[in-house]
Amino acid sequence: MKYHIVLDDTALVALHQAHPFLNGLLVEASRSDEIELHVPAGCLTHAETERPGIASFALEEPWLTVDPLDGEASAAVAPLLAKGVPLTMAHAVHAATPAMHGLITMAPERYEAWPAVQARHPDRPHPSE
């Protein structure tokens, strides 16, 4: 079973700051064909504004896939933007909505409006915690 895990801007910044769980997840992704780590381009862009240099880090990391804000994603994200949802969150919601995609974030409360998004804090990866 393949695990597709989306990292939002907050998780990407935490990974860049050597968060233990996220670093371990990156190591596991490097060892296993069953874990795919994705960063939506909207999240990468926002993370770069918060922490210059993070885009280079992410783009050089072979175990992180940057999901583009292409035509399909733009069409899916536009209605959320029209409702005032920031691009970083809208692109993360789009990327994490397909079945079996989880979202790791330092701010899971940002995604409470979307019950289909399985947003988890890296220090509390299970909903019961």
Side-chain angles (χ1 to χ4, degrees), residues 27-45:
V27 169
E28 286 303 311
S30 74
R31 295 179 182 165
S32 172
D33 291 336
E34 304 210 356
I35 299 173
E36 289 184 7
L37 300 178
H38 295 263
V39 176
C43 295
L44 178 60
T45 302

Side-chain angles (χ1 to χ4, degrees), residues 46-57:
H46 186 73
E48 177 68 19
T49 66
E50 295 291 314
R51 191 169 176 95
I54 205 166
S56 296
F57 161 77

